[in-house]
Amino acid sequence: MFLSVFDLFKIGIGPSSSHTMGPMTAAARFLDELLSDEWPRTTGATVDRLAVSLHGSLAYTGIGHGTDRAVVLGLTGLTPMTVDPDAVEAVLAAVSRDKRVQPPKHPAAYRFDPDADLVLDRKTPLPGHANGMAFSAFDASDRLLLRRIYYSIGGGFVVSDDELQRMKAEGPLRTQGNSREPYPFKNAKEMLAMAARSGMSIAAMKRANEERHMSRAELNAGLDKIWQAMLSCIERGLSQEGIMPGGLKVKRRARQLHDRLQEDWSRNRPNPLLANDWLSIYAMAVNEENAAGGRVVTAPTNGAAGVIPAVLRYWLHFHVEADDESIRDFLLTAAAIGGIIKHNASISGAEVGCQGEVGSASAMAAAGLCAVMGGTPEQVENAAEIALEHHLGMTCDPVGGLVQVPCIERNALGSVKAVTAASLAIKGDGTHFVPLDAAIETMRQTGMDMNERYKETSLGGLAVNVVEC
């Protein structure tokens, strides 16, 4: 089982990896297929109009999560990596005005009226996954030429209908390469056994697996780029003020809280909660940026994007031994844990609730922090288990379908839990009662049993008990 660190940590835009980045990526895949020769074209047929339908969770919370906007942007040829958040409104306005999209390298513009050709279908769920979408292409006579179904399965990952069926039958698809990695662990038990046999850390094993697909210099440069994107998101979040979009009129708070902490710091005021305060502010800064559609890194999702950057920034802030290499080891360790969780359960809020998003992020961050603090593989696994166990059962119930309430503060608390879990684990010897694999399986089962109202549909929980103002 190999899932690259760069599959889990992807640079994109907010507010949602599954509801924004995924649909944008799906649109790009559909455009690529239109240009290919891999579908049966009727002689003389030319694509004239495009249409998209969103289903399941994408239909219920698509507006609040920007899914409709993401699809339009994707059909213009933009991707999560290439889109400029500051240029989004102009692109959307042009499509709304012209009722056409003109993706690069395509021979002509396609008719596409967002008001008519983009449908939020809440009555017809697609069978493969809660985040389903169908893309269709028609000729000038409105004859259907091509229809493809895609699923956004969490963290920005997108699979076609055929790929999803193959994953269910054979296990997750390998995401890079075909060669066998030296440490192909698919669960925590195998990971610990390999670490014991090799005498290597989890980060070192993950690095060895990655370096079967790229050079050490490329890997280090990629990891540094991920961290710089995370850090930039924190810094931008700490510099912004005002009301976040969407209609809830939720105010940004990270800058105000940051300024207050800086003032207390300069006056040497005692604060026994100082580390927790900084953790919370860093996490909130990231998720306020995410809610505003800014540039973020899936970690492992956008809805949980603040946890790992906050814990990493805490590491740099409060630990004098922190350096560039430790940041890379943190990310590699976190990715190893995230890959195990994704392989054996889910990181999708629409599939298992927020336990799969903030819970997974907290487990990954706890593992990363424990590792760079000198933890053994057994202590690292213990840290991840503690963090995940205490998120089990957490629902995904965003008010108004927006990634704001309770998502922003939930990231802050997930960060605090991660640091606490790492601290508890490193004070022990790695032996503990509940294995990480058991916690992951419990999360999967809990997600399967969870009512759909509590899985990113905004039909239950806080979403229906908080009056929108």
Side-chain angles (χ1 to χ4, degrees):
M1 189 278 298
F2 176 68
L3 192 68
S4 174
V5 62
F6 303 116
D7 291 321
L8 283 164
F9 299 128
K10 296 188 284 291
I11 300 173
I13 63 167
S16 172
S17 47
S18 60
H19 286 55
T20 311
M21 291 173 59
M24 196 181 302
T25 300
R29 287 192 59 174
F30 187 68
L31 290 176
D32 287 343
E33 185 153 5
L34 287 180
L35 289 179
S36 75
D37 295 321
E38 298 179 3
W39 56 284
R41 294 174 178 266
T42 305
T43 303
T46 301
V47 176
D48 179 73
R49 181 175 71 88
L50 305 180
V52 183
S53 59
L54 305 175
H55 302 260
S57 178
L58 295 181
Y60 281 109
T61 61
I63 300 298
H65 285 56
T67 309
D68 52 337
R69 295 157 60 89
V71 168
V72 176
L73 294 171
L75 291 178
T76 67
L78 293 170
T79 68
M81 279 285 290
T82 62
V83 62
D84 177 1
D86 294 329
V88 163
E89 297 304 328
V91 174
L92 295 173
V95 174
S96 181
R97 179 191 65 238
D98 300 336
K99 296 179 173 45
R100 290 181 177 277
V101 291
Q102 175 63 75
K105 300 181 181 179
H106 285 246
Y110 302 119
R111 286 190 297 127
F112 181 77
D113 180 357
D115 292 333
D117 296 320
L118 180 55
V119 177
L120 278 68
D121 186 348
R122 298 179 178 178
K123 297 181 179 180
T124 316
L126 297 177
H129 191 276
N131 292 335
M133 62 201 111
F135 288 75
S136 301
F138 302 86
D139 65 12
S141 301
D142 268 349
R143 178 179 52 169
L144 179 64
L145 301 178
L146 178 66
R147 184 175 187 266
R148 288 289 182 264
I149 292 174
Y150 300 99
Y151 296 101
S152 183
I153 59 174
F157 291 89
V158 172
V159 294
S160 68
D161 199 21
D162 290 342
E163 290 167 348
L164 184 66
Q165 297 308 314
R166 200 155 58 242
M167 285 173 62
K168 290 180 177 180
E170 304 173 3
L173 297 173
R174 294 170 63 85
T175 56
Q176 289 189 15
N178 295 310
S179 60
R180 183 174 177 81
E181 290 73 36
Y183 304 99
F185 51 84
K186 63 179 180 294
N187 54 46
K189 182 179 180 179
E190 291 181 358
M191 178 184 72
L192 292 178
M194 290 180 185
R197 287 197 301 268
S198 67
M200 296 170 67
S201 69
I202 294 170
M205 292 192 298
K206 181 63 175 166
R207 176 177 283 278
N209 288 344
E210 296 285 345
E211 288 179 0
R212 289 297 297 267
H213 306 281
M214 67 191 75
S215 69
R216 174 156 296 204
E218 290 171 328
L219 176 58
N220 286 342
L223 292 170
D224 293 346
K225 183 178 180 181
I226 291 297
W227 168 236
Q228 285 304 311
M230 290 178 172
L231 185 59
S232 295
C233 188
I234 292 174
E235 292 173 347
R236 179 169 171 79
L238 293 177
S239 71
Q240 301 297 304
E241 293 181 301
I243 304 295
M244 286 176 287
L248 291 184
K249 300 180 181 179
V250 175
K251 292 182 179 179
R252 287 181 181 251
R253 291 181 289 161
R255 178 174 178 174
Q256 180 185 5
L257 294 172
H258 175 263
D259 291 346
R260 187 179 303 170
L261 263 188
Q262 289 280 49
E263 181 182 346
D264 291 347
W265 184 283
S266 65
R267 294 183 179 181
N268 292 319
R269 290 177 178 169
N271 181 359
L273 296 176
L274 187 63
N276 283 357
D277 288 346
W278 280 111
L279 275 166
S280 299
I281 288 169
Y282 292 144
M284 291 171 66
V286 171
N287 283 86
E288 286 176 358
E289 272 299 287
N290 179 62
R295 180 73 65 199
V296 297
V297 179
T298 63
T301 67
N302 283 27
V307 177
I308 287 174
V311 176
L312 257 174
R313 187 66 185 84
Y314 154 86
W315 164 246
L316 292 172
H317 191 152
F318 289 97
H319 294 260
V320 295
E321 66 270 34
D323 58 16
D324 289 344
E325 194 59 36
S326 68
I327 293 172
R328 295 167 187 156
D329 285 345
F330 185 114
L331 292 172
L332 288 167
T333 305
I337 299 301
I340 290 172
I341 294 172
K342 184 173 183 350
H343 179 79
N344 294 289
S346 175
I347 59 173
S348 169
E351 197 167 20
V352 296
C354 199
Q355 58 176 352
E357 296 204 31
V358 172
S360 296
S362 188
M364 293 165 66
L369 181 60
C370 186
V372 297
M373 288 169 58
T376 64
E378 290 78 14
Q379 289 170 321
V380 169
E381 185 260 0
N382 187 13
E385 187 281 323
I386 294 170
L388 184 61
E389 179 182 339
H390 298 290
H391 284 88
L392 292 176
M394 181 175 283
T395 60
C396 183
D397 50 355
V399 177
L402 299 167
V403 193
Q404 297 178 16
V405 180
C407 317
I408 294 170
E409 288 182 355
R410 195 168 278 176
N411 274 258
L413 273 293
S415 304
V416 172
K417 286 185 182 181
V419 172
T420 303
S423 180
L424 286 172
I426 208 162
K427 290 177 174 65
D429 61 4
T431 59
H432 55 104
F433 192 77
V434 179
L436 175 58
D437 289 331
I440 293 171
E441 174 59 16
T442 302
M443 183 182 78
R444 187 193 69 81
Q445 293 176 6
T446 303
M448 295 293 291
D449 292 340
M450 190 180 291
N451 191 289
E452 294 299 320
R453 294 197 304 271
Y454 302 108
K455 294 195 284 189
E456 211 164 356
T457 59
S458 290
L459 295 176
L462 288 175
V464 299
N465 287 299
V466 175
V467 178
E468 298 177 30
C469 300

